């Protein structure tokens, strides 16, 4: 394999026959593999990169990361590398800033790679996985108390344009820690098509807290070629896998904004003539997203872990849009931000009911957080759900017509939102504080409404 | 396996490879693609070009590399050693794969599905010169402490035994019987191969009259399914589909469980892998893993293998059915399978029908669900395959093609409801949108074995739930205060029924499983509350007064407080409830 690839590297073709959007069609070539990395020299003598999307006898379709602008049929030279797109990984990547395909952006030389890896990775064998059950304290009550984040989990933030998802992600990245353990923690940050000032906000945030030396940034900004976005999360995860599984670090991967990623995927699919399924997205969107999100996890016998927090903005706040919908089917829950809460000035505007953490059940309770945590979370959900019903009723018949118990629930709803949900951007609540506040707000309900709590728990915590 | 080059690659697009110069290949033949010998299957032949769906990642494969034929369709190895194993979609044991290639799955690894080194204690049943027909039991092997594996004569062999091994320990590939057939002498090892896409033959289908008991009250009492039945479980993400599937896998009274994780999360499979060896089956006292086979093709594993995984699962199920077992298979999720179909169809540039799905989607779904059933197998004993398929409709919209087509081929439907899930009401099976067409067929069993009034009790509570949903619409408009007490009693009864009966806590030691007797007794208590309450109200009592009765909080907590072994306590509760109400009645003359 190696011998052929070194031979191939020298082979250069100028037989481009077509250009269409980011795609390049080439003929009269030999021995080109599927998904292989390609480098092109454009008429100006500049280097561009691409990968093979389709390989056939004597012809190939190539997607060009930097776009095809300025390329011409005659003066474009194409070299095939014989290997898929790779990333040179090393621990020295910590503290550095790279572009969307892993080239340094901070004017420093590229870190010395200890190994070059295929950015597509390989699927983790399900029987080699370790089940995630260690609680990560984010210091945010709505998450820790009701949608607990677990190490090795993939928990996305479903947001909308104009909501505080960046603020929240930055706060989580700053505050996240594992109780009672002092292991090395790193953040890998992948930006896809976000604005420069948003990227800047994150960098500044990491700088201020002195966390920058534990952060790797991959930036594909809004004005960078969209097609590059398709590899950015994969490059970031390849780096994260190296840090987690070779250096035993606990890596939090923040990816924003996955909606932009999906747009790019749709763009390429349309140009290639793939058959669209919903809203023009290709039928393989699910598999494609899964190949990114499933790279989170813990592996038996290895010290590190990868926890993912993808951020996506739901077009028009629609949770049934294909992007959030398919994401929700792959990830282990979701943190949903709600415009209504945000309008009322509540931060973080985490919607009580549609948010969910699937791995929560095994990471909370006695010995992990506190023995009353599971029932408390369940009771808060149930009570808040009743609040929503009562509010709907009140908007029809008016508050005066409500029964006394319904009024009590309205009060509870207010306490819940003002005291439990709301917190300052720099407020880091430990889990005990979160649970105590939970009890304080529940205590505004009469005891016999707490049907999901046991007698002992009510005895011990109610009204304290 | 005879492998010979049959052509060379001319084009690669994702998981689809075209090979040219192919003259001697069969449709659906298993092939090995390229120098790395990736496993694939021929899905279309056009002149000398074969289209191959490849079960592994095709990165780096080049035009011109050879394709090797195997001469047979994608087949499974069926023999002792299946139970307790975790396979991928094309029957590669994942634990062995891990030992061979580490924590990540690499490509082109070919390992046998059944261990060739492990020895099994074989006991012959047949003797020399016995005449054998397909499906007959040659001998037995104790596969796990729960399952006695019957070594069967393969469905296509019949003749006279000319040699049979004596009792002893043998590996699976050791010849244990030689059979003289019309076409020559056949040597039979302990396992045989069977193509996944062809249903195994049987003598005929039977009536579906025995319920599959799941211990989940909403299922057993309201929407039961029989052994050999089919049910779809649709629900958007976060509505608890996987919770329902796992609860069934843990508690249903099938002999063998086959759990297919089809395009789902890796961590969920890990959860199953961690839990099953530790969970104890309440009926047998043995670990659940002793009766389970897990097929895991997670969402990031190759898409073509995902398409194959449900056939792999159902073929194994049929194999155990042929030994006379009741098998339940849980396919989570059939939507991912349909999407795999769509993806491959798209790559083959087929004309799409609804939402990009191929026009043959309903045919494939029907073909899959029709392999369920209770049958008399070739040996003349009864066995069944029950299929529980979950569906993940995009956006939770049940009008999408996979849910709609599935509905045509299943007879029970457990619709998961987002509002219930949001309120953390689990199992979040909606009592208004779900149905079971099997109720009439199953009712005689319940009436004979549990309670002669089962059907009328069930119908009554269903009717109350309907009434309640209508009343709720009124309440939404004008509030509950304007309703008369008799109607508010309906609301309260329904609330008790939802909280104290339908809602079931999968993590509570007592509540996670309810025996059938407990289910009926609980139902009767709640209905008695309704009847007695109604009587009282008609005599002039107020609902407020009734609701102050302390016995009601006992009713609300009976699911937690009465264990399965002491259901007679519920009789006592019923008696006391009747007494309380009749005492109160006296005061109203």
């Amino acid at each position: 394999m190696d011998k052929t690839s070194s031979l191939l590297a020298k082979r250069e073709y100028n037989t481009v026959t077509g250009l269409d959007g980011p795609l390049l069609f080439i003929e009269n070539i030999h021995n080109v593999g599927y998904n292989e990395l390609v480098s092109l020299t454009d008429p100006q003598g500049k280097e561009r990169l691409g990968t093979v999307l389709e390989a056939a006898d004597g012809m190939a379709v190539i997607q060009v990361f930097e776009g095809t602008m300025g390329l011409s049929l005659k003066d474009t030279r194409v070299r095939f590398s014989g290997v898929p797109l790779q990333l040179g990984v090393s621990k020295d990547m910590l503290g550095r800033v790279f572009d969307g395909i892993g080239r340094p952006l901070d004017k420093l030389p590229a870190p010395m790679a200890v190994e070059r890896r295929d950015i597509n990775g390989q699927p983790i064998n399900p029987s080699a996985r370790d089940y995630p059950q260690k609680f990560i304290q984010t210091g945010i009550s709505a998450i820790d108390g009701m949608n607990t984040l677990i190490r090795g989990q993939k928990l996305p933030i479903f947001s909308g344009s104009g909501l505080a998802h960046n603020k929240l992600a930055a706060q989580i990245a700053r505050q996240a820690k594992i109780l009672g353990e002092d292991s090395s923690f790193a953040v890998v940050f992948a930006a896809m098509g976000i604005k420069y000032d948003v990227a800047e906000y994150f960098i500044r945030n990491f700088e201020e807290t002195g966390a920058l030396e534990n952060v790797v940034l991959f930036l594909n900004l809004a004005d960078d070629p969209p097609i590059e976005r398709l590899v950015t999360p994969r490059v970031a995860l390849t780096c994260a896998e190296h840090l987690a599984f070779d250096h035993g670090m606990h890596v939090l991967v923040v990816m924003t904004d996955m909606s932009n990623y999906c747009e790019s995927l749709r763009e390429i699919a349309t140009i290639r003539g793939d058959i669209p399924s919903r809203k023009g997205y290709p039928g393989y969107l699910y598999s494609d997203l899964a190949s990114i999100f499933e790279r989170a996890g813990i592996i038996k016998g290895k010290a590190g872990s990868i926890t993912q927090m993808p951020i996506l903005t739901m077009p028009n706040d629609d949770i049934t849009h294909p992007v959030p919908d398919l994401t929700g089917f792959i990830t282990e829950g979701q943190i949903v931000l709600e415009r209504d809460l945000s309008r009322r000035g509540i931060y973080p505007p985490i919607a009580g009911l549609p948010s969910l953490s699937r791995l929560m059940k095994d990471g909370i309770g006695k010995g992990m957080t506190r023995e009353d945590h599971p029932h408390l979370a369940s009771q808060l959900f149930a009570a808040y759900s009743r609040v929503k019903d009562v509010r709907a009723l009140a908007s029809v018949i008016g508050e005066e017509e409500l029964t006394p118990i319904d009024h009590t629930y309205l009060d509870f709803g207010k306490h819940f939102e003002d005291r439990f949900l709301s917190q300052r951007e720099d407020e880091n609540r430990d889990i005990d504080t979160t649970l105590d506040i939970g009890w304080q707000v529940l205590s505004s309900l009469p005891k016999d409404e707490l049907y999901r709590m046991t007698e002992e728990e009510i005895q011990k915590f109610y009204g304290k | 396996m005879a492998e010979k080059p049959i052509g060379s690659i001319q084009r690669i697009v994702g998981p689809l490879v075209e090979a040219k110069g192919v003259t001697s290949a069969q449709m659906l033949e298993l092939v090995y693609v390229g120098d790395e010998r990736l496993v694939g299957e021929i899905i279309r032949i056009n002149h000398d070009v074969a289209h191959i769906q490849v079960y592994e990642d095709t990165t780096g494969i080049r035009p011109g590399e050879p394709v090797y034929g195997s001469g047979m369709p994608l087949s499974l190895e069926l023999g002792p050693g299946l139970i307790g194993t975790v396979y991928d979609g094309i029957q590669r044991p994942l634990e062995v794969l891990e030992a061979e290639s580490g924590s990540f799955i690499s490509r082109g690894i070919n390992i046998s599905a059944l261990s060739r080194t492990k020895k099994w204690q074989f006991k012959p049943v047949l003797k020399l010169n016995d005449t054998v027909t397909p499906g007959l039991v040659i001998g037995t092997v104790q596969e796990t402490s729960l399952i006695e594996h019957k070594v069967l004569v393969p469905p296509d062999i019949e003749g006279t035994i000319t040699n049979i091994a004596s009792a002893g320990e043998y590996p699976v590939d050791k010849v244990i019987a030689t059979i003289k057939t019309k076409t020559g002498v056949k040597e039979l090892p302990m396992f045989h191969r069977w193509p996944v896409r062809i249903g195994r033959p049987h003598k005929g289908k039977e009536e579906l009259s025995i319920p599959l008991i799941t211990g989940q009250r909403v299922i057993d009492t309201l929407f039961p399914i029989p052994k050999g039945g089919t049910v779809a479980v649709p629900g958007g993400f976060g509505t608890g589909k996987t919770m329902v599937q796992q609860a069934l896998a843990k508690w249903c009274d099938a002999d063998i469980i086959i759990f297919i994780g089809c395009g789902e999360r890796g961590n969920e499979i890990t959860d199953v892998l961690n839990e099953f060896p530790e969970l104890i089956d309440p009926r047998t006292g043995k670990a659940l893993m002793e009766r389970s086979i897990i097929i895991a093709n997670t969402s990031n594993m190759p898409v073509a293998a995902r398409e194959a995984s449900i056939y792999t699962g159902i073929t194994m199920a049929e194999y155990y059915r042929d030994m006379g077992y009741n098998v339940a298979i849980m396919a989570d999720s059939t939507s991912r399978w349909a999407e795999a179909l769509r993806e491959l169809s798209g790559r083959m540039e087929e004309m799409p029908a609804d939402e990009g799905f191929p026009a043959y989607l309903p045919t494939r779904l029907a073909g899959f669900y029709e392999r369920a059933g209770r049958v008399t197998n070739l040996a003349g004993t009864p066995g069944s395959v029950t299929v529980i398929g979950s569906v993940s409709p995009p956006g939770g919209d049940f009008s999408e093609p996979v849910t709609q087509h599935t509905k045509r081929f299943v007879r029970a439907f457990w619709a998961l409801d987002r509002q219930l899930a949001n309120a953390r009401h689990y199992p979040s099976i909606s009592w208004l949108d779900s149905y079971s067409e099997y109720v009439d067929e199953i009712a005689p069993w319940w009436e004979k074995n549990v309670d002669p009034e089962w059907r009328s009790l069930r119908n009554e509570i269903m009717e109350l739930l309907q009434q309640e949903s209508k009343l709720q619409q009124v309440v939404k408009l004008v509030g509950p205060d304007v309703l008369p007490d008799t109607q508010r009693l309906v609301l309260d009864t329904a609330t008790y029924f939802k909280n104290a009966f339908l809602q079931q806590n999968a993590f509570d030691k007592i509540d996670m499983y309810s025996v059938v007797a407990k289910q009926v007794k609980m139902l009767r208590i709640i209905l008695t509350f309704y009847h007695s309450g109604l009587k009282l109200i008609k005599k002039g009592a107020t609902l407020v007064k009734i609701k102050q009765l302390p016995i009601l909080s006992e009713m609300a907590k009976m699911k937690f407080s009465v264990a399965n072994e002491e259901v007679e306590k519920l009789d006592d509760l019923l008696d006391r409830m009747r007494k309380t109400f009749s005492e109160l009645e006296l005061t109203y003359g």
Side-chain angles (χ1 to χ4, degrees):
Chain A
M1 210 62 196
D2 271 334
K3 210 172 69 193
T4 43
S5 67
S6 63
L7 273 174
L8 283 166
K10 290 178 192 121
R11 245 188 243 176
E12 197 171 89
Y13 298 93
N14 58 352
T15 46
V16 179
T17 56
L19 295 160
D20 184 356
L23 301 189
L24 179 150
F25 301 82
I26 186 165
E27 285 179 12
N28 286 324
I29 51 163
H30 298 283
N31 225 2
V32 168
Y34 176 69
N35 230 349
E36 193 167 294
L37 177 69
V38 181
S39 58
L40 312 112
T41 314
D42 64 17
Q44 290 76 38
K46 275 204 187 140
E47 197 81 348
R48 301 188 195 191
L49 293 176
T51 57
V52 175
L53 274 190
E54 187 176 325
D57 262 353
M59 68 85 62
V61 181
I62 295 161
Q63 58 179 10
V64 184
F65 292 131
E66 290 91 340
T68 50
M69 192 167 139
L71 294 185
S72 71
L73 297 191
K74 232 172 74 194
D75 295 324
T76 305
R77 283 172 293 144
V78 178
R79 281 177 310 282
F80 294 93
S81 67
V83 289
L85 181 57
Q86 292 177 326
L87 177 74
V89 289
S90 93
K91 206 178 175 181
D92 298 337
M93 297 176 95
L94 285 168
R96 301 286 306 272
V97 184
F98 301 90
D99 73 357
I101 48 180
R103 296 173 295 204
L105 271 185
D106 47 10
K107 303 193 181 73
L108 295 170
M112 193 76 135
V114 288
E115 202 188 327
R116 298 193 66 78
R117 287 209 182 144
D118 179 356
I119 59 152
N120 294 303
Q122 285 173 325
I124 302 177
N125 186 327
S127 66
R129 279 182 188 268
D130 216 349
Y131 190 66
Q133 43 195 355
K134 283 215 170 111
F135 161 67
I136 297 181
Q137 180 177 299
T138 63
I140 294 164
S141 293
I143 296 178
D144 292 349
M146 295 172 71
N147 305 288
T148 318
L149 179 65
I150 304 292
R151 193 156 80 187
Q153 185 175 19
K154 36 194 179 296
L155 189 65
I157 299 177
F158 286 8
S159 182
S161 38
L163 297 180
H165 46 268
N166 293 324
K167 226 187 203 182
L168 180 63
Q171 188 175 2
I172 293 171
R174 261 192 334 257
Q175 299 181 349
K177 70 166 186 186
I178 288 148
L179 292 186
E181 250 183 73
D182 201 30
S183 43
S184 48
F185 195 80
V187 175
V188 172
F189 182 83
M192 288 155 282
I194 61 169
K195 294 188 72 62
Y196 174 78
D197 29 324
V198 175
E200 188 59 32
Y201 169 79
F202 277 100
I203 297 175
R204 208 174 49 238
N205 227 292
F206 293 134
E207 263 171 0
E208 276 167 12
T209 49
L212 200 59
E213 72 257 30
N214 282 322
V215 180
V216 191
L217 294 108
F218 294 91
L219 303 180
N220 165 283
L221 300 179
D223 55 350
D224 287 335
I227 187 149
E228 207 181 274
R229 260 159 236 168
L230 295 182
V231 292
T232 307
R234 296 188 165 83
V235 167
L237 284 162
T238 306
C239 170
E241 277 170 3
H242 175 70
L243 296 176
F245 303 131
D246 296 327
H247 294 287
M249 302 183 84
H250 296 292
V251 186
L252 175 69
V253 183
V254 179
M255 299 185 280
T256 180
D257 174 330
M258 288 307 289
S259 303
N260 294 339
Y261 171 86
C262 297
E263 299 287 320
S264 294
L265 194 72
R266 175 166 69 176
E267 196 178 321
I268 302 298
T270 317
I271 296 169
R272 284 171 60 184
D274 288 336
I275 292 166
S277 57
R278 286 174 68 213
K279 297 210 169 164
Y281 290 94
Y284 49 81
L285 180 60
Y286 178 83
S287 301
D288 191 274
L289 285 174
S291 72
I292 295 173
F293 296 143
E294 277 294 327
R295 288 171 84 172
I298 311 174
I299 292 177
K300 278 181 203 154
K302 304 210 175 181
S305 67
I306 296 183
T307 309
Q308 283 187 15
M309 187 158 269
I311 300 172
L312 56 91
T313 44
M314 300 181 280
N316 208 10
D317 293 352
D318 176 11
I319 199 168
T320 65
H321 182 277
V323 174
D325 191 49
L326 293 178
T327 302
F329 275 118
I330 304 165
T331 54
E332 285 132 354
Q334 63 277 336
I335 306 284
V336 183
L337 303 191
E338 193 179 279
R339 197 164 298 276
D340 182 46
L341 289 172
S342 176
R343 279 200 194 110
R344 282 159 42 207
I346 293 171
Y347 172 85
I350 295 176
L353 303 182
S355 301
L356 167 77
S357 163
R358 287 165 187 269
L359 299 184
M360 173 174 180
K361 63 180 168 53
D362 297 305
I364 61 169
K366 206 172 173 189
M368 290 171 288
T369 52
R370 208 167 76 182
E371 73 272 23
D372 56 319
H373 191 170
H375 286 162
L376 180 69
S378 172
Q379 184 64 61
L380 284 170
F381 268 116
Y384 193 55
S385 160
R386 172 88 183 260
V387 170
K388 293 271 177 177
D389 287 347
V390 174
R391 281 183 186 162
L393 182 62
S395 69
V396 179
I397 62 170
E399 257 182 54
E400 298 74 30
E401 299 294 314
L402 294 176
T403 59
I405 187 70
D406 284 348
H407 275 288
T408 323
Y409 269 101
L410 283 186
D411 289 343
F412 162 77
K414 198 165 159 33
H415 286 308
F416 176 80
E417 285 165 1
D418 291 348
R419 292 171 51 201
F420 185 82
L421 216 51
S422 296
Q423 64 187 89
R424 290 189 321 274
E425 202 186 330
D426 58 353
E427 188 177 351
N428 190 352
R429 294 182 186 160
D430 64 28
I431 183 67
D432 275 320
T433 314
T434 290
L435 296 177
D436 289 344
I437 298 176
W439 273 105
Q440 284 163 22
V441 297
L442 270 184
S443 300
S444 57
L445 291 173
K447 274 183 195 168
D448 48 348
E449 287 294 315
L450 306 185
Y451 52 90
R452 297 208 176 160
M453 313 295 313
T454 63
E455 286 300 327
E456 297 82 63
E457 284 162 349
I458 293 178
Q459 286 278 323
K460 193 165 166 196
F461 296 104
Y462 183 82
K464 300 285 157 65
Chain B
M1 233 184 284
E3 282 177 30
K4 54 178 190 341
I6 54 163
S8 67
I9 299 173
Q10 73 166 16
R11 181 165 177 253
I12 305 120
V13 203
L16 195 79
V17 167
E18 285 171 27
K20 64 178 175 186
V22 181
T23 48
S24 64
Q26 301 163 19
M27 194 62 178
L28 298 182
E29 180 176 336
L30 181 73
V31 293
Y32 300 95
V33 176
D35 295 329
E36 291 188 66
R37 295 181 175 242
L38 310 181
V39 183
E41 192 181 12
I42 296 184
I43 48 174
R44 182 198 274 166
I45 304 175
N46 185 7
H47 297 288
D48 69 336
V49 176
H51 292 240
I52 300 162
Q53 64 177 24
V54 179
Y55 293 128
E56 299 177 76
D57 180 21
T58 50
T59 296
I61 301 290
R62 296 156 200 271
E65 289 185 23
V67 173
Y68 303 90
S70 70
M72 53 188 262
L74 177 64
S75 304
L76 300 185
E77 289 187 352
L78 299 170
L82 290 174
I83 306 259
T85 311
V86 189
Y87 290 107
D88 76 352
I90 49 171
Q91 213 199 5
R92 291 185 301 181
L94 285 173
E95 276 144 344
V96 183
L97 213 58
E98 186 190 347
E100 295 248 326
S101 80
S103 313
F104 295 89
I105 298 176
S106 48
R107 303 185 301 172
I109 299 176
N110 226 329
I111 37 179
S112 25
L114 298 173
S115 162
R116 295 292 190 267
T117 47
K118 184 168 174 137
K119 288 188 172 172
W120 300 94
Q121 186 68 40
F122 173 79
K123 276 193 225 130
V125 171
L126 298 177
K127 324 182 284 297
L128 204 63
N129 296 327
D130 277 351
T131 311
V132 297
T133 51
L136 233 51
V137 181
I138 304 175
T140 59
V141 164
Q142 196 67 41
E143 187 169 1
T144 68
S145 59
L146 283 178
I147 303 296
E148 185 186 54
H149 193 105
K150 293 165 187 162
V151 182
L152 305 176
V153 177
D156 46 4
I157 286 182
E158 112 173 69
T160 323
I161 295 188
T162 54
N163 194 7
I164 185 159
S166 51
E169 286 207 326
Y170 308 110
V172 284
D173 54 354
K174 152 97 180 161
V175 173
I176 43 107
T178 320
I179 291 173
K180 203 176 125 199
T181 69
K182 281 182 193 144
T183 53
V185 175
K186 293 262 163 38
E187 292 190 323
L188 301 183
M190 254 189 268
F191 75 102
H192 65 268
R193 289 203 167 84
W194 188 261
V196 295
R197 295 185 197 277
I198 300 175
R200 290 173 63 89
H202 52 75
K203 276 193 180 149
K205 290 206 170 179
E206 305 295 324
E207 193 175 61
L208 306 175
S209 53
I210 304 168
L212 181 82
I213 302 297
T214 64
Q216 309 301 304
R217 293 183 294 263
V218 59
I219 294 173
D220 290 348
T221 301
L222 295 191
F223 310 107
I225 54 163
K227 294 196 168 85
T230 49
V231 57
V233 193
F237 67 82
T239 50
K241 247 183 340 289
T242 306
M243 300 254 293
V244 170
Q245 291 271 20
Q246 291 193 4
L248 287 179
K250 284 176 202 166
W251 305 121
C252 82
D253 68 342
D255 302 312
I256 290 166
I257 304 292
I258 298 180
F259 190 89
I260 310 173
C262 174
E264 288 289 310
R265 306 175 180 91
N267 281 333
E268 264 165 22
I269 300 289
T270 312
D271 191 17
V272 170
L273 291 182
N274 284 350
E275 275 202 354
F276 275 30
E278 280 170 28
L279 275 174
I280 302 300
D281 180 356
R283 293 170 307 123
T284 57
K286 296 279 167 52
L288 283 174
M289 205 61 191
E290 305 261 298
R291 61 160 191 171
S292 310
I293 304 174
I294 293 167
I295 296 169
N297 216 86
T298 55
S299 53
N300 56 338
M301 284 156 78
V303 68
R306 192 193 306 164
E307 193 269 335
S309 64
I310 70 164
Y311 294 106
T312 299
I314 199 143
T315 307
M316 289 180 186
E318 286 175 340
Y319 176 61
Y320 282 94
R321 172 202 73 189
D322 290 349
M323 294 177 207
Y325 289 113
N326 293 311
V327 187
I329 92 171
M330 331 267 152
D332 186 17
S333 129
T334 58
S335 294
R336 303 293 159 239
W337 168 79
E339 277 161 17
L341 215 58
R342 172 168 74 185
E343 188 171 335
L344 294 164
S345 158
R347 306 249 191 205
M348 281 170 63
E349 289 157 10
E350 290 172 340
M351 185 73 85
D354 277 0
E355 292 196 15
F357 287 104
Y360 48 79
L361 172 70
T363 319
R364 294 285 181 89
L365 277 171
F368 171 67
Y369 281 108
E370 273 309 287
R371 286 173 76 170
R374 196 161 145 255
V375 305
T376 302
N377 58 31
L378 294 176
T381 49
S384 68
V385 174
T386 310
V387 177
I388 298 146
S390 66
V391 183
S392 323
D397 170 14
F398 290 176
S399 67
E400 58 91 38
V402 182
T403 316
Q404 281 308 312
H405 290 307
T406 303
K407 262 183 144 169
R408 292 163 51 200
F409 309 118
V410 297
R411 290 185 57 209
F413 191 74
W414 299 332
L416 301 182
D417 187 276
R418 175 167 306 277
Q419 259 157 10
L420 292 178
N422 279 350
R424 302 305 188 259
H425 173 117
Y426 291 122
S428 53
I429 297 176
S430 156
W431 46 88
L432 297 172
D433 299 331
S434 306
Y435 60 79
S436 165
E437 292 175 16
Y438 296 112
V439 175
D440 290 341
E441 282 150 273
I442 290 176
W445 182 92
W446 276 86
E447 285 162 2
K448 184 164 163 256
N449 296 292
V450 190
D451 191 311
E453 288 172 40
W454 181 74
R455 196 191 320 221
S456 56
L457 292 173
R458 178 190 174 275
N459 290 350
E460 191 174 1
I461 197 73
M462 285 301 283
E463 204 191 307
L464 277 176
L465 289 172
Q466 290 293 339
Q467 270 189 45
E468 187 241 12
S469 112
K470 287 205 189 97
L471 290 174
Q472 282 294 357
Q473 288 170 357
V474 180
V475 171
K476 275 209 181 96
L477 288 177
V478 293
D481 285 349
V482 293
L483 295 180
D485 270 2
T486 48
Q487 290 189 337
R488 294 184 67 176
L489 180 68
V490 174
L491 295 184
D492 282 328
T493 309
T495 307
Y496 275 121
F497 183 65
K498 289 179 213 166
N499 292 334
F501 188 94
L502 293 180
Q503 202 180 104
Q504 198 163 349
N505 187 336
F507 307 109
D508 184 273
K509 276 206 174 59
I510 291 178
D511 196 33
M512 53 170 55
Y513 180 89
S514 285
V515 292
V516 284
K518 182 175 167 184
Q519 299 189 23
V520 179
K521 287 183 201 297
M522 283 170 69
L523 177 57
R524 193 184 287 277
I525 288 171
I526 293 170
L527 284 172
T528 304
F529 159 74
Y530 174 69
H531 291 304
S532 317
L534 200 61
K535 217 157 140 194
L536 265 176
I537 290 170
K538 284 187 177 150
K539 287 202 171 167
T542 58
L543 186 59
V544 178
K545 179 102 184 164
I546 295 173
K547 281 175 78 177
Q548 283 164 352
L549 291 173
I551 195 144
L552 296 189
S553 76
E554 269 189 74
M555 174 170 87
K557 289 192 169 151
M558 63 188 167
K559 61 176 179 181
F560 295 121
S561 55
V562 180
N564 285 319
E565 301 77 40
E566 40 178 35
V567 285
E568 62 285 349
K569 279 195 181 166
L570 290 173
D571 294 332
D572 173 56
L573 179 60
L574 181 65
D575 284 344
R576 282 187 291 123
M577 177 177 280
R578 283 191 174 132
K579 215 165 127 204
T580 319
F581 273 94
S582 41
E583 275 164 11
L584 196 62
E585 221 176 300
L586 289 177
T587 61
Y588 288 93

